[in-house]
Amino acid sequence: MPLSKLGLRNNAYGLTQTELYRNVDREDPKEILNGVAVSGLVGILRQLGDLAEFAAEIFHGIQEEVMATASRSNQLKIRLQRIEATVPPLEKAVLAQTTHIHFAYTGGLEWHPRIPNQQNHLIYDDLPRLIMDPYEECRDPPRLHLLDKFDINGPGSCLKRYSDPTYFRRASSNLSQGTKKFQSNNKNCKIKKKKSSSRSRDMARLASMANQSARKTIASFSFSGQTSSSLTASTSDMEKRSDLQDHHSHSFDSRSGSGYNECISTATSSLRKPKGVFVSSSLTPGSCTIASVLSECETEDAQDSFQFSPSHGQAARGSSCVSWDEKAEIVEPLGVQKDEALEMMEKNSVVDALDEKASCGEETGRVDYGNSESGSQQHTGIDEAREMKTGLESMGEQRDSEHETESEGDCFVDALNIIESESENDQGLQTSQEVASSPCGVTDERLEKSVCEQEVESNFNTVEGSCRPMDEEKSCGLVETLSSINVSDEMNHQDPGLSSDIACSPRHDPCTSNIPGGADYMAFTFVPALENSSSNSSNLLYHSDLQEHQKSEAKTSNDVEAIKLWTNGGLLGLKPSKPQVLAVPSSVSSDCKTDEMKVGSAEAEKDKSGYLLENASYRHVLNNSSLATPGTQNLIVADQRECHETSSGVFGLSHKLLTNGFRRRDSFPYDRQTVPATIPENDEVTTEKSRSITEKTLMDPFRDEAPIDWITSSPPLQHMKISLSPVDTLQASRLKLKFSDGNNNNNNDTFSSFQLLPEAATSFPDSCSDDDTFCRSSPYMSDTDYLGDNHSLSNSEQWEESSDSNERKEQELYDSFHESRHVDEPSSLVIESESGCVDLSYLQNPAEPSPPPFPPVQWMVSKTHSEKVDDKTQSLQLQDALRFAFEKHISLSPVNKELPNIVTSPPKPELKVHLKNNAREEKQKSAKEKETEAGDFLQQIRTQQFNLKPVVMTTTLSAAATTDPAINTKISAILEKANSIRQAVASNDGDESDTWSDT
Amino acid sequence: MAKAGGITNAVNVGIAVQADWENREFISHISLNVRRLFEFLVQFESTTKSKLASLNEKLDLLERRLEMLEVQVSTATANPSLFAT
């Protein structure tokens, strides 16, 4: 819904003036009514007028859009016609090709998108109303055209001249040149020279703003209608024209101008200032890096001389080189001992602090430096420390100079200083403020202390150790200095004429790297940052160094990647480039090894150690070029140091991660080994668990609870042993099952139960006894064990509970076993007492082949009972029959001897059947019970046979003579019963599970 | 006379009031129609601009495609060696 541009006024009668019907004669109603009617008609007319205006506006807008669309469509049409004209020959050429496959290997089209930037996106017309109001409400520009008649160039020249910002920039530069010559001996000149490049950048931005404002003023001229159309031209055109008119502007005094001219001067003074600062910023890197050698006055003079001549930058560089040589000359002859050097360093630190606080000349500090540079082994650390210190000093000087700048309102406009300070804060450099927050003296002292430690130990490890006491303030200070230097370098890159001065800063690299032994690691981390910042600079030395270090990088590329991973993952809170942290330990370990090797070589050869250290440092720094923060590099130093300590953890999380990773890595194969292969389901479960844990470790490397849970989740084996030990009767089978795999490791805490339970489950049906309670309790036990173990493994956090439940369940199991034992023993006793042939001793020997299953207890008991009863009755009947036959035999003559065989044979099958039923039991009984019980039984049989022998001899004749049919029927009945029993036993073999489990 | 004059005056007043009512009705009708015209204009503008916007989008798409085609054609014409087999 578009916003309503126009609204129709509602009341038609209210649109008119009320005088139409109020100023009439009240006594004449017709007039009043006519007045009211006329007012209504007038209101309608006004509504129609509004409607017409609204319609005109709407149709105008629509017409514009339609015209634009039509023009676009026409352009499209024209372009399309052009393409149509060009396509047919191409089409012919393409169709003329025999094979089109080579088009697939051509480069295709060369896409060069034309991004037309024909119009400004932010022009003054687009400014918001709040900003445009002051321009509209301001006074008109002075009528400079009135002065044209006094000007040589004719009409419009005065307006061009006095509204040209470049003119004032040039005029102010000339004025500042004169004033700087006057102020060359004054300290206030330091202000401009020590300005950072960020400030110059801000000034450049302000210059553009000033141009913008100047352009606006020109535009305001155009509103006056008195100027030509050339006034609305861009400032570049104005600059070109002003260059031609520059020779006429010397006689101009900005102070004599009108208010408008004053405004222009304030705007153009901002252009004057960037010029000076821009020139002075070109020397800030030199002052940072060579400030220990160059005096401040030299730099001042150099700046004074360089300010309007960019070619002096090379001279400044040459002077810095000479100063380096001079320094070397100073250093070499002096052979002061270390103690003296330490004392001197401390004194220098104090003196420097005092110097900086008092903002005195740096010449004294420089002299102290020259005195303190003693010992060929020490000067490297000192120099590097001096570099850092001078960087800090330069920052402190910048700070002081900026304060002085703010205090001095003569040179610059206050508003511009405010804008500068704001812009500095906006650009996030914050160098001066943070340096101001941290006193430079304290940092210098700390730095000197670190340097002293370096001197005392003069070893790489000790150098690294000296890096330890560095506080965050100092590192921040270094970061600030580096950032300031980087910014200054960037600004110098913007100026091609002054970029040669940047070469001074990387020139330190070979100087420091060629110094053998005691190479300061901080310095190496310090310098490459400069290199990174000034990588665009054309410095051959720097490139040669880079080539060397690239060679060294090629040697140890794996280490590099490992370090990358470390730095990305641990330091800055960034995500590592590779989420798989599992690969980190190996790489890091290799890195540690290589570092150790390098350290060993460094200890062995001192000359090479510096080179190696240099390589290492450069490698670290170049790898971390994306980060490019010296703070991280210092941390990398600590990383390397702790890698030597094989703790492999600088960054807390990464250290933990690594340790955990090692643990897990050690534990994984171990766990996989401990997983028994005989348990497929549990094996799968555990492997899945292990996989999930590995995935967790991979995906969530910073989780530290996982290994702890993993360790605590495994149930102790002692617990299981204790729970199993009290079982006596079934313990043999159970323990046998437990150790059947041969994995009797005591460390198999986790899967001990898994080894036990399935075997128990499979063995219990085989080893099932006649006891019902045992048969019922064993699956229950196995179920509980399964549940308990699964619970303990699945819910590792609740292992305590599960262990308690396991204890309870094991106690229950133990109780159930005892109960089953208590139940078993009476039953077995009963069976033994009754039958004397039922033996459960085979349960204790599961190694033997499993016997055929037994019938249920009740049935078996009843059967044995019936058998026994039958046997008894049968024996009684036999005795009676034999007695009867014996009596007959006595009475008659015993002649036939074949009959006893016949007579004795019938009971023998019966006994054989009975023995066959009990033979299986007897085989599996213990030897004692066999001897006792079976011996008794056989003895009875023998006695019976022994008793029968004479009877047979006596009854043969009687049996043959008599052939008692009753005895034969009884024998046949006994045989039938035996057959039925055999069949019943055979049938019970088939449906074993049902009968045994149910009974 | 006075009575007749009073009557005529009253009649005239009544006629005037009636005419006034008619005038008011006329004015209200015209005002209402003006309002309708106003709403129609608003709706017309919105619909027209939306259609124009859609048309411009299509034109943008066509321009991009045409630019692509132009680049392709220019590349093909600039490299005649591609077709020299």
Side-chain angles (χ1 to χ4, degrees):
Chain A
M1 184 73 184
L3 296 173
S4 62
K5 296 175 183 175
L6 288 173
L8 187 66
R9 280 169 282 196
N10 192 8
N11 191 4
Y13 296 97
L15 297 175
T16 59
Q17 294 178 355
T18 57
E19 286 82 11
L20 287 174
Y21 51 89
R22 283 186 182 175
N23 293 330
V24 295
D25 189 7
R26 297 241 176 216
E27 294 177 354
D28 190 2
K30 285 185 179 179
E31 290 182 358
I32 295 170
L33 293 174
N34 287 329
V36 169
V38 167
S39 66
L41 291 172
V42 168
I44 285 173
L45 287 173
R46 294 194 69 168
Q47 282 184 347
L48 287 171
D50 292 338
L51 180 66
E53 187 180 358
F54 181 67
E57 190 173 348
I58 285 172
F59 284 115
H60 181 69
I62 291 169
Q63 186 191 6
E64 285 181 350
E65 288 189 0
V66 168
M67 290 298 290
T69 307
S71 64
R72 289 180 66 188
S73 62
N74 285 326
Q75 287 179 357
L76 283 175
K77 188 178 178 182
I78 293 165
R79 290 168 67 184
L80 193 62
Q81 287 175 355
R82 218 177 284 161
I83 289 168
E84 283 178 358
T86 54
V87 160
L90 291 172
E91 189 179 5
K92 287 179 182 177
V94 169
L95 292 174
Q97 298 291 321
T98 56
T99 58
H100 300 85
I101 191 65
H102 68 280
F103 289 118
Y105 300 103
T106 56
L109 56 93
E110 294 175 358
W111 179 255
H112 296 293
R114 291 170 294 180
I115 302 169
N117 194 7
Q118 297 173 355
Q119 59 182 359
N120 293 321
H121 296 289
L122 293 173
I123 55 175
Y124 64 93
D125 290 333
D126 294 334
L127 290 173
R129 191 73 182 169
L130 180 66
I131 298 170
M132 284 297 291
D133 285 337
Y135 289 104
E136 292 177 353
E137 292 174 356
C138 67
R139 290 187 297 172
D140 291 334
R143 293 177 291 178
L144 292 172
H145 62 281
L146 297 175
L147 297 172
D148 288 339
K149 59 185 177 183
F150 301 106
D151 199 348
I152 301 166
N153 292 325
S157 62
C158 288
L159 185 63
K160 291 176 186 175
R161 182 182 299 130
Y162 301 137
S163 61
D164 184 11
T166 59
Y167 163 73
F168 288 100
R169 189 174 62 185
R170 293 173 187 279
S172 62
S173 65
N174 291 325
L175 290 172
S176 64
Q177 187 177 3
T179 54
K180 282 177 182 175
K181 286 179 181 177
F182 178 72
Q183 293 174 353
S184 62
N185 294 323
N186 194 2
K187 288 183 180 178
N188 293 325
C189 292
K190 297 175 187 175
I191 299 157
K192 302 167 196 171
K193 298 159 193 170
K194 293 294 180 181
K195 282 292 180 185
S196 65
S197 61
S198 62
R199 189 169 177 177
S200 64
R201 187 191 298 171
D202 296 334
M203 288 302 104
R205 195 177 66 178
L206 285 171
S208 64
M209 291 172 65
N211 289 324
Q212 185 78 15
S213 64
R215 189 179 174 184
K216 291 182 187 309
T217 56
I218 292 161
S220 65
F221 273 107
S222 67
F223 290 132
S224 65
Q226 295 175 357
T227 59
S228 63
S229 61
S230 63
L231 292 172
T232 59
S234 63
T235 55
S236 61
D237 296 330
M238 296 297 290
E239 287 178 1
K240 290 176 182 176
R241 292 169 189 168
S242 64
D243 291 333
L244 298 172
Q245 298 172 359
D246 198 10
H247 62 280
H248 297 288
S249 64
H250 292 289
S251 62
F252 178 75
D253 190 4
S254 63
R255 286 173 292 182
S256 63
S258 63
Y260 172 72
N261 286 326
E262 287 176 358
C263 294
I264 294 295
S265 68
T266 55
T268 54
S269 63
S270 65
L271 297 173
R272 179 191 64 182
K273 191 171 178 179
K275 184 82 175 180
V277 172
F278 195 72
V279 173
S280 64
S281 64
S282 65
L283 293 171
T284 49
S287 63
C288 288
T289 55
I290 319 161
S292 62
V293 182
L294 280 175
S295 66
E296 190 67 26
C297 292
E298 288 177 355
T299 56
E300 287 175 4
D301 295 333
Q303 285 174 348
D304 289 332
S305 59
F306 299 159
Q307 190 164 7
F308 296 103
S309 62
S311 63
H312 287 281
Q314 295 177 355
R317 188 184 62 183
S319 65
S320 65
C321 296
V322 169
S323 66
W324 270 102
D325 295 332
E326 289 175 358
K327 185 187 72 175
E329 290 177 355
I330 291 165
V331 165
E332 289 177 355
L334 291 173
V336 187
Q337 293 181 355
K338 292 182 179 179
D339 295 332
E340 294 178 359
L342 289 171
E343 292 176 358
M344 292 300 293
M345 289 299 292
E346 291 176 355
K347 289 177 181 178
N348 289 326
S349 64
V350 174
V351 169
D352 292 332
L354 290 172
D355 289 336
E356 286 183 355
K357 287 178 180 177
S359 69
C360 295
E362 283 80 5
E363 292 179 355
T364 57
R366 186 171 60 88
V367 169
D368 291 330
Y369 286 145
N371 292 324
S372 64
E373 289 171 349
S374 61
S376 61
Q377 298 293 327
Q378 302 166 2
H379 68 282
T380 59
I382 296 165
D383 293 336
E384 289 154 0
R386 191 189 308 144
E387 288 177 0
M388 292 181 286
K389 185 181 174 181
T390 50
L392 293 171
E393 286 178 359
S394 64
M395 292 305 300
E397 288 175 359
Q398 289 177 3
R399 174 181 55 110
D400 295 330
S401 64
E402 285 174 0
H403 288 299
E404 290 176 1
T405 307
E406 291 175 357
S407 65
E408 291 176 355
D410 295 333
C411 294
F412 304 105
V413 183
D414 292 333
L416 287 173
N417 289 325
I418 293 163
I419 292 165
E420 287 168 6
S421 62
E422 290 177 354
S423 62
E424 286 175 357
N425 292 322
D426 292 333
Q427 291 186 357
L429 292 173
Q430 298 174 357
T431 57
S432 62
Q433 293 179 358
E434 292 181 359
V435 169
S437 64
S438 65
C440 294
V442 176
T443 58
D444 289 334
E445 289 176 358
R446 289 173 182 174
L447 202 140
E448 294 289 336
K449 287 177 182 178
S450 65
V451 170
C452 291
E453 290 178 1
Q454 292 170 4
E455 290 174 357
V456 169
E457 294 178 356
S458 70
N459 195 1
F460 176 67
N461 291 323
T462 56
V463 168
E464 289 177 347
S466 67
C467 294
R468 295 175 193 174
M470 286 183 68
D471 292 332
E472 292 180 356
E473 292 180 359
K474 193 169 74 178
S475 63
C476 291
L478 287 171
V479 170
E480 289 161 6
T481 55
L482 288 170
S483 63
S484 65
I485 290 162
N486 292 331
V487 169
S488 65
D489 290 334
E490 289 176 0
M491 285 307 296
N492 286 319
H493 286 304
Q494 293 178 359
D495 192 3
L498 299 171
S499 63
S500 62
D501 293 332
I502 306 157
C504 296
S505 57
R507 181 166 287 188
H508 292 278
D509 304 336
C511 296
T512 54
S513 62
N514 291 324
I515 293 161
D520 191 3
Y521 204 81
M522 289 167 54
F524 284 112
T525 57
F526 183 74
V527 174
L530 291 170
E531 290 181 355
N532 290 324
S533 65
S534 64
S535 61
N536 292 323
S537 65
S538 61
N539 191 2
L540 295 173
L541 293 171
Y542 166 68
H543 287 297
S544 64
D545 291 332
L546 262 183
Q547 290 174 357
E548 291 176 359
H549 300 311
Q550 284 174 356
K551 289 177 182 176
S552 64
E553 282 181 359
K555 292 178 182 177
T556 59
S557 62
N558 293 323
D559 303 338
V560 166
E561 292 177 356
I563 292 160
K564 273 187 177 180
L565 283 172
W566 273 93
T567 52
N568 287 326
L571 263 180
L572 298 176
L574 297 172
K575 279 188 174 182
S577 59
K578 289 182 179 179
Q580 285 83 12
V581 193
L582 201 63
V584 170
S586 62
S587 62
V588 169
S589 61
S590 63
D591 188 16
C592 295
K593 288 176 181 176
T594 54
D595 289 332
E596 287 175 354
M597 289 172 65
K598 286 182 179 177
V599 167
S601 64
E603 290 175 352
E605 296 177 1
K606 218 170 187 179
D607 295 332
K608 291 182 179 179
S609 68
Y611 181 70
L612 286 170
L613 293 171
E614 178 186 341
N615 289 331
S617 65
Y618 273 106
R619 195 173 60 240
H620 283 295
V621 170
L622 290 170
N623 290 324
N624 294 315
S625 62
S626 62
L627 300 173
T629 55
T632 59
Q633 291 165 4
N634 291 325
L635 287 172
I636 289 161
V637 172
D639 183 10
Q640 210 174 19
R641 181 192 64 215
E642 293 190 7
C643 278
H644 294 298
E645 294 173 0
T646 64
S647 65
S648 70
V650 178
F651 328 111
L653 287 173
S654 60
H655 173 62
K656 289 178 181 178
L657 166 67
L658 253 187
T659 52
N660 293 326
F662 281 125
R663 275 185 214 155
R664 288 168 190 166
R665 206 177 170 191
D666 292 331
S667 65
F668 289 155
Y670 173 72
D671 293 334
R672 284 168 187 159
Q673 289 175 358
T674 55
V675 172
T678 58
I679 308 162
E681 295 177 355
N682 292 322
D683 191 5
E684 290 176 358
V685 170
T686 51
T687 50
E688 286 177 358
K689 283 177 179 298
S690 64
R691 284 175 192 166
S692 64
I693 289 161
T694 53
E695 288 175 357
K696 283 179 181 178
T697 54
L698 288 173
M699 297 301 292
D700 191 5
F702 295 101
R703 186 176 177 180
D704 294 331
E705 294 89 3
I708 298 165
D709 293 337
W710 178 255
I711 291 163
T712 56
S713 63
S714 63
L717 183 62
Q718 292 78 12
H719 175 73
M720 302 302 291
K721 283 180 178 177
I722 289 164
S723 65
L724 289 169
S725 59
V727 180
D728 293 331
T729 58
L730 296 174
Q731 184 185 8
S733 63
R734 191 167 174 79
L735 289 173
K736 183 115 183 177
L737 293 168
K738 179 182 173 184
F739 297 112
S740 62
D741 295 332
N743 294 324
N744 294 325
N745 295 324
N746 291 323
N747 294 321
N748 296 336
D749 296 335
T750 309
F751 304 105
S752 60
S753 62
F754 290 102
Q755 293 177 357
L756 286 167
L757 290 170
E759 293 289 334
T762 53
S763 65
F764 275 124
D766 294 334
S767 65
C768 62
S769 65
D770 298 333
D771 191 3
D772 291 335
T773 58
F774 177 75
C775 291
R776 286 172 184 171
S777 64
S778 58
Y780 173 70
M781 177 203 67
S782 64
D783 291 334
T784 52
D785 281 346
Y786 267 120
L787 289 170
D789 292 328
N790 289 324
H791 181 69
S792 64
L793 283 173
S794 62
N795 297 325
S796 61
E797 295 176 355
Q798 298 175 352
W799 163 243
E800 296 298 327
E801 297 176 1
S802 64
S803 63
D804 293 333
S805 63
N806 279 327
E807 287 178 0
R808 276 187 260 112
K809 286 170 182 174
E810 291 294 334
Q811 188 65 29
E812 290 174 1
L813 177 67
Y814 175 72
D815 295 333
S816 65
F817 280 154
H818 276 281
E819 289 174 2
S820 66
R821 280 175 56 202
H822 293 306
V823 172
D824 279 338
E825 289 171 0
S827 64
S828 63
L829 288 172
V830 166
I831 290 164
E832 288 174 357
S833 63
E834 289 181 357
S835 64
C837 59
V838 176
D839 191 5
L840 297 174
S841 64
Y842 67 91
L843 291 173
Q844 295 178 358
N845 296 319
E848 293 179 2
S850 60
F854 287 95
V857 177
Q858 290 83 6
W859 185 78
M860 194 162 185
V861 169
S862 64
K863 184 188 75 174
T864 52
H865 183 70
S866 63
E867 285 178 356
K868 293 298 172 186
V869 170
D870 291 332
D871 291 335
K872 283 183 179 181
T873 53
Q874 196 174 2
S875 63
L876 288 173
Q877 288 173 357
L878 275 172
Q879 286 177 359
D880 292 333
L882 290 171
R883 195 176 296 159
F884 177 73
F886 183 69
E887 286 174 0
K888 279 187 176 178
H889 180 68
I890 292 168
S891 65
L892 296 173
S893 60
V895 179
N896 197 1
K897 291 182 180 178
E898 296 175 357
L899 281 174
N901 293 325
I902 299 166
V903 173
T904 54
S905 62
K908 276 183 181 176
E910 185 192 4
L911 291 171
K912 281 180 182 176
V913 168
H914 186 70
L915 287 170
K916 193 176 181 181
N917 291 326
N918 294 323
R920 299 165 187 170
E921 300 172 357
E922 289 174 356
K923 284 180 182 177
Q924 295 166 1
K925 272 187 178 181
S926 64
K928 241 182 186 178
E929 290 177 349
K930 274 185 179 178
E931 288 176 1
T932 55
E933 295 174 359
D936 293 333
F937 185 67
L938 290 171
Q939 193 174 2
Q940 287 179 359
I941 294 168
R942 281 172 197 157
T943 53
Q944 285 182 356
Q945 287 181 353
F946 183 74
N947 292 325
L948 284 172
K949 275 184 180 179
V951 172
V952 166
M953 292 299 288
T954 57
T955 58
T956 50
L957 292 173
S958 65
T962 59
T963 61
D964 196 3
I967 295 167
N968 291 326
T969 55
K970 286 180 181 177
I971 290 167
S972 63
I974 290 165
L975 289 171
E976 286 177 359
K977 281 184 180 178
N979 288 323
S980 64
I981 289 164
R982 192 180 299 164
Q983 289 175 359
V985 168
S987 65
N988 285 323
D989 291 334
D991 41 357
E992 179 185 0
S993 60
D994 296 331
T995 56
W996 285 103
S997 61
D998 292 330
T999 56
Chain B
M1 287 297 291
K3 191 175 183 180
I7 291 168
T8 56
N9 194 9
V11 170
N12 290 331
V13 169
I15 292 167
V17 168
Q18 189 176 0
D20 184 66
W21 275 109
E22 288 174 356
N23 287 329
R24 285 174 181 268
E25 188 178 4
F26 174 72
I27 289 166
S28 66
H29 277 295
I30 289 173
S31 179
L32 185 63
N33 288 322
V34 167
R35 284 184 174 280
R36 286 178 181 171
L37 279 173
F38 203 86
E39 291 174 357
F40 167 75
L41 281 176
V42 169
Q43 191 176 359
F44 177 76
E45 185 190 17
S46 62
T47 54
T48 307
K49 287 194 172 179
S50 66
K51 287 180 179 178
L52 281 172
S54 63
L55 187 62
N56 283 322
E57 287 180 357
K58 290 178 182 177
L59 284 174
D60 287 334
L61 187 64
L62 284 173
E63 282 179 349
R64 287 173 195 163
R65 288 182 180 176
L66 265 180
E67 191 173 1
M68 185 74 180
L69 283 173
E70 283 176 351
V71 170
Q72 286 178 347
V73 168
S74 63
T75 307
T77 52
N79 295 321
S81 61
L82 291 173
F83 310 107
T85 55

